[in-house]
Amino acid sequence: MDRDGVLAARLATQRLSGPPASGPAPAVAELLCVQAQDAPLARAMIALRCGSTDAGVRAAVARGELVRTHVLRPTWHYLAAEDLRWLLALTSPKVESGMASRHRQLSLTAARVDAGLSVVADALAGRRFAPRPTLGTALAGAGVLDRDDPLFGQQVGHILLLGELRALICSAPVESTEHHYALVEEVVPASRPREHREALAELVRRFVTGHGPVAPSDLVRWARVTLGEVRTALRDLDGHLAPLVVDGQELWHAPDALLPASRAQRAWLVSTFDEVFLSYRTVPWPRSAGHPAGEDPYRFAEAGGGVVLCDLEDVGAWKRTRRGGRVRIDLELDTTLSSSALGAIDDAAATLATVIA
């Protein structure tokens, strides 16, 4: 397999050029997690993989099939509800320890965090789903936090983040554009605990199967696991996953899970945070010669837009705007693209506009 073969296989594996998934929850489960700090765009990317819409993905959340929470690293993700507990148990300890200095800056001592999580649990008990402002008011009212503290908003956010990492709270099964929290024990069915090595092997298997061909170092960036742990899991999975070398780089894939490129499509508009773009630092998407950004790196803190892929190249950027209550997709493209490439990109933009919120 050469570089173009790797890029084409990723598009198919991730259900963008391959056959659509059977629904939002299966689409997410195949990827294990979908980065989702920009929730509307994350839902649009899920919808593209299964022929659904923003409303369809929100309905899967409302049914409790999908959960949005902080997992793998200190970042929002969508994941299937049945994967919540074991993934948190596997990755949260390292994520939380990595934020210790930030929590000291926020004066979030262990005692203060414990008190805050107790307040949050009491406020949500009995399926009283609530958004962040309501929980911030509860934390201030209980005297755990001071609303006049300049750090109040960040303190609220980090207490809720720790509650998610510790599997106390997650997104509520409600169909709302505003994020609501719920107690995990009230909305996510119990699941079998997994021993560390078993959970690690499952993480590696699912990541490689859903994202491959992919490098072990890409998984180390994606989740709080070490390269040594990944190597151990790859040995445990011998016979299920296979290595290949492309441009001198070691990649892994699941040969039995390869999907055909069944959609006659040349172009895709994907979020900056989408799994098919942000996941790969090894054999990444090449930029076209006339890319409007030149060699400047993407600013991954940006939201509301993403990357234009055409003919296996990154050829520009797109941005979502709203005008007159309607979604508009603005494009900034390589000016040397052919008319047929531009037509394919226009078609991809029109498709995205039908599923985006």
Side-chain angles (χ1 to χ4, degrees), residues 17 25 33 88 108 118 128 166 193 200 215 276 278 284 314-315 351 354:
S17 67
C33 291
L88 288 171
L108 291 178
S118 178
R128 290 179 292 172
R166 297 179 187 183
L200 182 65
V276 86
L278 192 58
D314 169 2
V315 299
T351 297
T354 66

Side-chain angles (χ1 to χ4, degrees), residues 3-52:
R3 174 182 285 265
D4 282 357
V6 167
L7 299 174
R10 288 170 177 170
L11 285 168
T13 296
Q14 291 213 21
R15 301 282 186 176
L16 289 170
S17 67
S22 59
V28 172
E30 286 188 4
L31 291 165
L32 190 53
C33 291
V34 171
Q35 193 164 330
Q37 62 266 60
D38 189 328
L41 284 195
R43 293 194 298 268
M45 296 300 104
I46 295 167
L48 288 178
R49 288 169 162 86
C50 62
S52 186

Side-chain angles (χ1 to χ4, degrees), residues 270-322:
V270 299
S271 164
T272 307
F273 307 113
D274 188 65
E275 295 297 313
V276 86
F277 180 74
L278 192 58
S279 300
Y280 310 107
R281 303 294 172 87
T282 305
V283 190
W285 292 95
R287 283 191 178 179
S288 61
H291 194 287
E295 298 299 321
D296 292 342
Y298 283 104
R299 295 186 294 274
F300 289 113
E302 290 183 350
V307 179
V308 180
L309 303 176
C310 184
D311 296 334
L312 303 181
E313 288 187 319
D314 169 2
V315 299
W318 63 274
K319 196 78 172 178
R320 169 197 59 196
T321 59
R322 292 185 181 279

Side-chain angles (χ1 to χ4, degrees), residues 116-137:
L117 294 179
S118 178
V119 169
V120 169
D122 288 344
L124 295 174
R127 296 176 67 89
R128 290 179 292 172
F129 308 144
R132 174 171 165 166
T134 299
L135 297 176
T137 297

